[in-house]
Amino acid sequence: MTSPDYQWRLGELKTQFSGKTLLIGVDDMDPFKGIDLKLQAMESLLVTHPELVGQVVLLQVANPARIMNKEVVEMRDEVLAEVKRINEKFQIGVDGCDYKPIELWYRQVPLHERVALYSLAEVAVVTATRDGMNLVPYEYVTCRQESQAVGIKTSMLVVSEFVGCSPSLSGAIRVNPWSIEDTSDAFYRAITMRENEKMARHEQHYRYISTHTVCHWARSFFSSLEGVCEELATMKTYGLGFGLSFRVVALASHFRHLE
């Protein structure tokens, strides 16, 4: 965060989004990432709360897919069309300013730029309909903690209940991304939440992230492995199957098969 590239890009983004509340989404252009659902929730937010028009911006980073098949191409075209439609719907009558509620960056974003975005955004949004251990929330919370650009250390997360990291983020607002209304309401809650509550949730998340490191998981794994191996010497082992289906089964010494 001390690199000149980071400082320069952060200054540019501050100028670009001055006076706006920034929501950030970073996803691959993948059908399971729920980008289209996120866009619809943003539209619903501005329809339900028109006072936020001109005040809130969703910046969606969409990393191009590694393999461009028909499904990905159709989704990309749908997302681009949806962004254009929503921007045209809300860009009229905002004091003559060039306001776009959704900024879509359909490109790879270098690390220093991604860190600058995380540092500036007040809310991070993950609306995947199916995902593994998505690291975006962890990266976002860490950047908000370490950035000198943030005065009071706060961060807000709106996270899909179908994401693997969701159970560990107890302070996040969990949503079912298929429910556009619920996701829109979560956006509003995250934006309007009191600063002291944001700070408490941020501290809770950062405490978890800073203690559950790679070393923690390695120690936990080896501890479990040692626990299993302690009784291995007293167990009976049997070889079962043939070829690729062959496996070794360990059974307690007092095991007796049924007659």
Side-chain angles (χ1 to χ4, degrees):
M1 288 188 174
T2 59
S3 73
D5 288 339
Y6 163 78
Q7 297 291 344
W8 167 76
R9 193 66 178 110
L10 181 62
E12 278 196 332
L13 292 169
K14 280 184 175 180
T15 301
Q16 181 179 353
F17 298 108
S18 176
K20 306 288 192 300
T21 299
L22 184 64
L23 284 69
I24 182 73
V26 180
D27 304 279
D28 294 334
M29 187 62 81
D30 183 288
F32 295 115
K33 295 298 183 178
I35 296 177
D36 53 337
L37 302 175
K38 192 184 306 181
L39 299 179
Q40 293 173 41
M42 182 65 179
E43 179 184 17
S44 176
L45 172 70
L46 297 178
V47 169
T48 308
H49 302 280
E51 72 277 8
L52 294 179
V53 175
Q55 305 298 319
V56 178
V57 175
L58 169 64
L59 195 158
Q60 176 64 54
V61 175
N63 302 313
R66 298 175 183 86
I67 301 176
M68 294 296 292
N69 54 37
K70 181 181 177 181
E71 187 178 16
V72 172
V73 171
E74 289 178 351
M75 180 197 167
R76 179 201 61 189
D77 293 344
E78 179 183 341
V79 167
L80 292 173
E82 193 75 352
V83 169
K84 181 180 179 181
R85 181 186 65 79
I86 295 172
N87 282 340
E88 289 177 349
K89 181 176 180 178
F90 293 103
Q91 69 181 359
I92 301 172
V94 187
D95 300 328
C97 298
D98 185 20
Y99 167 71
K100 295 191 296 183
I102 299 175
E103 290 274 350
L104 178 66
W105 292 3
Y106 180 53
R107 60 180 175 85
Q108 293 288 345
V109 175
L111 179 60
H112 73 271
E113 190 171 23
R114 193 165 75 248
V115 172
L117 286 172
Y118 287 147
S119 300
L120 195 61
E122 295 189 29
V123 184
V125 184
V126 179
T127 54
T129 57
R130 189 168 67 190
D131 207 350
M133 185 57 72
N134 193 309
L135 297 179
V136 167
Y138 300 141
E139 294 173 352
Y140 167 69
V141 170
T142 303
C143 289
R144 291 286 288 181
Q145 176 68 25
E146 301 297 333
S147 174
Q148 300 301 317
V150 182
I152 301 175
K153 303 300 183 182
T154 64
S155 61
M156 279 305 301
L157 295 168
V158 177
V159 178
S160 165
E161 62 187 29
F162 303 122
V163 176
C165 63
S166 178
S168 66
L169 301 168
S170 55
I173 301 176
R174 294 191 184 91
V175 296
N176 180 344
W178 293 108
S179 174
I180 303 302
E181 183 178 349
D182 286 351
T183 307
S184 172
D185 289 344
F187 286 4
Y188 186 73
R189 282 183 58 199
I191 293 168
T192 59
M193 187 174 290
R194 295 190 306 272
E195 288 296 310
N196 60 341
E197 188 170 352
K198 289 182 182 180
M199 186 165 56
R201 291 173 184 245
H202 170 79
E203 289 175 353
Q204 183 178 358
H205 291 153
Y206 186 70
R207 192 182 310 115
Y208 177 87
I209 293 169
S210 58
T211 55
H212 290 70
T213 61
V214 172
C215 292
H216 167 83
W217 293 116
R219 286 194 298 268
S220 176
F221 173 78
F222 282 113
S223 176
S224 299
L225 191 62
E226 288 172 354
V228 171
C229 293
E230 283 179 356
E231 300 179 2
L232 189 60
T234 64
M235 301 178 79
K236 297 180 179 180
T237 57
Y238 299 89
L240 301 176
F242 299 94
L244 295 177
S245 65
F246 177 80
R247 59 196 182 279
V248 176
V249 178
L251 302 171
S253 57
H254 59 271
F255 173 79
R256 296 290 183 272
H257 64 82
L258 296 176
E259 297 296 339

